[in-house]
Amino acid sequence: MSRVGKKPVSVPSGVTATVNGQTVKMKGSKGELQFVVPSLVNVALDNGAITVEPKNQSKEARSLWGTSRAQVANLVEGVSKGFEKRLEITGVGYRAAMAGKALKLSLGYSHDIEYEIPAGITITTPKPTEIVIAGIDRQRVGQVAAEIRDYRGPEPYKGKGVKYAGEFIFRKEGKKK
């Protein structure tokens, strides 16, 4: 039984929600998002809250129940507050800088990496070793952060590379003589 799916998603003031069939649309101060709920799940809007219920008790319907509710909750949070991911760069000579509409990364390769910023995402570099990715769509913010981290993931010996802020890197001991 889903514990997440049972809770209704409350729609705060300043956010307008519309449910049309299986499509949930949210409009807030940050922008507008929509999500198409899978056909095995019912979605309804009643007195300022969106409820999600499975159509039947099949395993697939119950597994999509909590997922759909979480997606709708992410829409509400995205259009009202937005999402943010922070990346930290560790390593001598490793840095990031904004170059117009692209992110320029120097990560120890023979060339600099130019990352084109997708629409709906804003990237800032408060320090040369810090990247802040923000947007209203949680999935796209996380995907952009994962793509940037993938250029040079943190390595376990010295901890050099791009990592999420607050991420713990398990360190290994080097060779012994």
Side-chain angles (χ1 to χ4, degrees), residues 2-177:
S2 174
R3 293 191 186 113
V4 173
K6 288 179 185 177
K7 290 192 280 185
V9 179
S10 62
V11 180
S13 60
V15 175
T16 56
T18 55
V19 177
N20 188 7
Q22 294 297 100
T23 305
V24 178
K25 289 185 181 180
M26 297 282 170
K27 194 172 191 177
S29 60
K30 297 268 185 183
E32 188 174 340
L33 288 173
Q34 73 174 15
F35 172 65
V36 179
V37 179
S39 60
L40 291 170
V41 179
N42 284 329
V43 63
L45 173 67
D46 31 82
N47 57 359
I50 297 174
T51 56
V52 181
E53 295 174 346
K55 284 190 177 174
N56 55 38
Q57 290 300 314
S58 68
K59 183 168 175 49
E60 191 177 4
R62 286 183 291 122
S63 62
L64 289 172
W65 180 19
T67 304
S68 300
R69 191 258 179 216
Q71 291 276 28
V72 171
N74 287 340
L75 294 184
V76 172
E77 190 176 341
V79 296
S80 58
K81 298 179 202 156
F83 294 99
E84 180 181 279
K85 284 261 188 201
R86 291 181 174 272
L87 297 174
E88 295 172 350
I89 302 173
T90 309
V92 178
Y94 289 14
R95 62 185 167 274
M98 293 301 298
K101 298 222 182 267
L103 178 67
K104 187 176 177 184
L105 299 163
S106 300
L107 298 174
Y109 295 115
S110 60
H111 60 284
D112 287 346
I113 298 164
E114 295 269 336
Y115 183 79
E116 289 295 321
I117 301 169
I121 299 292
T122 57
I123 296 180
T124 56
T125 53
K127 291 188 259 178
T129 59
E130 188 178 349
I131 303 169
V132 179
I133 302 152
I136 62 171
D137 189 349
R138 184 175 190 167
Q139 192 275 330
R140 290 181 63 206
V141 169
Q143 184 64 39
V144 168
E147 287 171 5
I148 293 171
R149 182 183 184 271
D150 208 37
Y151 285 124
R152 174 80 80 179
E155 53 97 17
Y157 295 100
K158 291 185 178 179
K160 295 186 342 182
V162 181
K163 67 176 185 141
Y164 297 114
E167 178 183 10
F168 176 75
I169 305 302
F170 185 77
R171 303 292 285 270
K172 291 183 179 178
E173 193 173 334
K175 286 184 187 176
K176 291 183 180 172
K177 289 187 180 184

